[in-house]
């Protein structure tokens, strides 16, 4: 496992490298954004830890550029909490974020979680919730349940990227194409109904998770 650390604070980068080496990860470190982008575009890595504020090219631009050609897992490291929605959204496309200041231990845990999530093939993961798009149904262990088109849209959108957090506006944009005005509460109520339906299939399982202050994510690791 080779992890790229793009971070211009030398001390922090060395500390991260130490922690990651202890967990048997290989690391490469870049302190300049422009050099990092050029190298990362041509050399494969298993995961990228990306600082937001960098000399040369900034982290957001790097992430956006990399997303044009690769699905490599990217964790953004940022002190700017107000940017998180954009970072995780479709515009930038990071897989996860960690807020500065963070503990290296916390970051290592996040790295492991993201690798676990991104390396599990979607269909083979967990208990195998199946989404039957053409029939607008969800199937689990032989049991099926009908869902509405809106519920189906929400589920398909989130399940395409397990673990990725969607805010309500992103979900609205995905499920309604006619630019209608939809309130956050409408999204919440559709999510609530969808959850109830999924509960009918498996009362123990929690597929749709609320992320406080941001939105929702799908995880199939029951
Ligand atoms: Ca920085």
């Amino acid at each position: 496992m080779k992890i790229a650390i793009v971070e211009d604070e030398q001390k922090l980068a060395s500390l991260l490298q130490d922690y990651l080496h202890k967990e048997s990860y290989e690391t490469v470190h870049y302190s300049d954004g422009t050099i990092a982008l050029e190298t990362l575009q041509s050399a494969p890595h298993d995961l990228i830890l990306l600082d937001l504020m960098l000399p040369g090219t900034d982290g957001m631009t790097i992430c956006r550029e990399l997303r044009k050609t690769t699905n490599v897992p990217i964790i953004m490291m940022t002190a700017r909490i107000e940017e998180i929605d954009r970072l995780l959204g479709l515009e930038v496309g990071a897989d996860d974020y960690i807020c500065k200041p963070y503990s290296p231990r916390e970051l290592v845990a996040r790295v492991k979680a993201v690798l676990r999530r991104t390396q599990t093939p979607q269909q083979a993961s967990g208990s195998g919730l199946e989404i039957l798009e053409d029939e607008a149904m969800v199937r689990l262990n032989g049991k099926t349940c009908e869902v509405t088109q809106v519920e189906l849209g929400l589920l398909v959108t989130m399940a395409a990227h397990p673990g990725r957090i969607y805010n309500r506006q992103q979900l609205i944009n995905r499920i309604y194409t006619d630019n209608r005005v939809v309130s956050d509460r409408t999204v919440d109520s559709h999510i609530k109904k969808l959850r109830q339906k999924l509960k009918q299939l498996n009362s123990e399982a929690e597929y749709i998770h609320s992320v406080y202050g941001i939105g929702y994510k799908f995880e199939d690791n029951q």
Side-chain angles (χ1 to χ4, degrees):
M1 281 290 162
K2 194 163 157 195
I3 298 177
I5 300 168
V6 188
E7 169 61 73
D8 58 323
E9 284 172 57
Q10 189 61 50
K11 267 189 176 172
L12 181 56
S14 307
L15 188 66
L16 286 180
Q17 285 186 295
D18 287 347
Y19 271 81
L20 289 166
H21 291 166
K22 265 185 230 162
E23 299 288 331
S24 310
Y25 294 111
E26 273 180 56
T27 61
V28 268
H29 172 226
Y30 307 98
S31 48
D32 179 273
T34 306
I35 293 167
L37 179 58
E38 279 171 16
T39 317
L40 293 171
Q41 274 173 328
S42 54
H45 292 76
D46 295 297
L47 184 138
I48 299 170
L49 295 171
L50 188 53
D51 184 25
L52 200 57
M53 305 292 279
L54 291 162
T57 308
D58 69 273
M60 212 180 263
T61 307
I62 293 175
C63 189
R64 203 183 289 131
E65 285 301 310
L66 288 174
R67 274 291 169 263
K68 290 179 184 169
T69 55
T70 168
N71 271 324
V72 61
I74 299 174
I75 301 178
M76 302 289 303
M77 307 183 288
T78 176
R80 284 151 62 179
I81 194 147
E82 67 279 6
E83 298 279 17
I84 288 164
D85 273 1
R86 275 184 76 200
L87 296 179
L88 296 177
L90 299 171
E91 186 204 332
V92 180
D95 291 272
D96 206 348
Y97 68 93
I98 190 160
C99 283
K100 287 184 167 186
Y102 54 80
S103 75
R105 199 179 296 251
E106 189 188 348
L107 187 79
V108 170
R110 201 66 68 88
V111 165
K112 285 184 180 172
V114 169
L115 284 173
R116 209 181 306 127
R117 185 171 100 200
T118 51
Q119 283 176 349
T120 315
Q122 264 176 51
Q123 287 309 316
S125 73
S127 55
L129 183 73
E130 282 179 88
I131 304 165
L132 311 172
E133 278 194 69
D134 292 342
E135 289 125 283
M137 286 205 304
V138 184
R139 182 161 61 199
L140 181 71
N141 301 330
K143 277 203 260 181
T144 55
C145 181
E146 284 183 19
V147 290
T148 65
Q149 284 302 318
V150 170
E151 290 159 2
L152 184 68
L154 289 168
L155 190 56
V156 167
T157 300
M158 290 189 288
H161 297 279
R164 184 175 286 182
I165 304 163
Y166 291 87
N167 66 34
R168 290 173 180 80
Q169 191 55 50
Q170 287 167 339
L171 292 172
I172 290 168
N173 294 344
R174 289 297 197 84
I175 55 179
Y176 300 106
T177 49
D178 54 1
N179 293 324
R180 72 176 86 177
V181 178
V182 180
S183 75
D184 285 359
R185 278 164 80 182
T186 306
V187 176
D188 292 342
S189 95
H190 286 299
I191 292 273
K192 191 177 166 194
K193 284 184 196 143
L194 180 57
R195 275 176 164 160
Q196 285 166 353
K197 290 182 179 179
L198 295 175
K199 284 266 179 228
Q200 289 172 21
L201 300 177
N202 181 353
S203 58
E204 306 284 298
E206 198 69 68
Y207 291 98
I208 297 168
H209 300 259
S210 304
V211 182
Y212 183 73
I214 306 180
Y216 296 101
K217 64 176 177 176
F218 176 91
E219 298 216 54
D220 188 2
N221 50 9
Q222 315 301 330

